[in-house]
Amino acid sequence: MYASTVRNLLVRGMLAGLIAALFAFAVAYSLGEPQVDASIAVEEAAAAEEAAHAGHGGAAAEADEEEELVSRAVQSTAGLGSGVLVYGVALGGIASLAFCFLLGRLGRFTPRATAAITAAAAFTTVFLVPFLKYPATPPAVGNPDTIGKRTTLFFLMILLSVLLGIAATIAGRRLAPRLGNWNATLVAGAGFIAAVTIAFVFLPSNEDAVAKGFPAAVLWEFRLASLAVQAVLWTVFGVAFGFLAQRLLTPRETTVPAAAEGAPTPA
């Protein structure tokens, strides 16, 4: 693939990521932010109760009066929007490079179908598999002393998932001549699931990620919202980037001018 084509696909991938991020922001704001507000309210109520039992009610009231550096309204609008947009553009660019590598190597798929496969694979390896092991938790929930350890484990799970996905893809390609595309895909997929299961068993769990007594309904709805945001992000990206890549890579049909009167008609 020519460097100019890769560059054009990269630009289109970032544009598709931007479009997908706009849809993801709408879902995050409408579904995720109410659960964040609910979790903050739970944490504040627990802190106030603990301060009252400890006899530090006055100090707690004083702390509440302190002005926030960034208001909650700004966090839930401009802060959330800018974060999601940057995230979408960056992942769109990375996914477009993965598309350049996969195009033509998975079989005779069109650019649109390859874009859909790339988006589905990215959603599975980058989000879904790590999410199943270390589900998302609302901010300000859990032990702050272990946040570094929990973040390290989460990114380790992402790295393992991506590497296992690449290994499964390579194994499927090598098995295809002997087993056929369908059987090779099934074998590679089963191997990926088995390897991920082993990683789930041996990696430690985040037992202190959620505070005891935290409402299960709020936690469940927050995790569903996180899943919905990522699903919308990658679905819209796959559709948008597939359309843009198809237009770029598929040669346009040229119309043959009508034959002049008396000219021989081409066969």
Side-chain angles (χ1 to χ4, degrees):
M1 186 177 292
Y2 294 107
S4 59
T5 305
V6 175
R7 182 175 63 251
N8 290 333
L9 287 171
L10 176 62
V11 172
R12 283 161 174 76
M14 296 173 70
L15 176 60
L18 178 63
I19 296 172
L22 294 175
F23 284 86
F25 168 73
V27 176
Y29 183 78
S30 59
L31 297 181
E33 284 303 311
Q35 311 312 321
V36 175
D37 291 334
S39 66
I40 292 175
V42 171
E43 185 201 25
E44 290 177 347
E49 183 179 355
E50 183 180 350
H53 284 303
H56 299 299
E62 237 176 73
D64 290 339
E65 292 175 1
E66 290 183 3
E67 191 176 338
E68 293 180 331
L69 295 177
V70 180
S71 66
R72 177 72 189 120
V74 174
Q75 292 176 13
S76 62
T77 53
L80 175 65
S82 59
V84 172
L85 290 178
V86 171
Y87 178 79
V89 170
L91 286 187
I94 296 173
S96 67
L97 296 178
F99 168 87
C100 294
F101 175 79
L102 294 175
L103 185 63
R105 290 182 169 88
L106 299 178
R108 293 187 173 182
F109 291 106
T110 64
R112 185 171 296 171
T114 305
I117 294 172
T118 303
F123 170 75
T124 302
T125 57
V126 176
F127 175 76
L128 184 60
V129 170
F131 177 85
L132 294 176
K133 175 62 179 176
Y134 302 116
T137 55
V141 173
N143 185 359
D145 297 332
T146 62
I147 188 171
K149 176 185 175 182
R150 289 186 277 129
T151 303
T152 301
L153 289 174
F154 181 73
F155 280 104
L156 177 61
M157 191 66 244
I158 293 178
L159 179 62
L160 284 175
S161 177
V162 171
L163 291 178
L164 291 174
I166 294 173
T169 302
I170 295 174
R173 286 188 59 203
R174 292 185 176 179
L175 291 173
R178 286 183 292 172
L179 303 179
N181 290 333
W182 178 253
N183 291 331
T185 301
L186 291 178
V187 172
F192 174 77
I193 294 174
V196 167
T197 303
I198 294 173
F200 279 13
V201 171
F202 285 97
L203 284 175
S205 60
N206 285 338
E207 297 179 355
D208 60 342
V210 181
K212 293 181 179 179
F214 189 83
V218 175
L219 181 62
W220 176 249
E221 290 175 2
F222 177 83
R223 288 175 173 173
L224 285 181
S226 301
L227 183 61
V229 169
Q230 292 291 331
V232 168
L233 177 71
W234 287 110
T235 300
V236 175
F237 171 79
V239 173
F241 182 65
F243 172 77
L244 296 174
Q246 187 80 21
R247 290 195 61 183
L248 174 67
L249 298 176
T250 302
R252 298 180 181 178
E253 296 182 358
T254 56
T255 57
V256 180
E261 186 177 352
T265 303

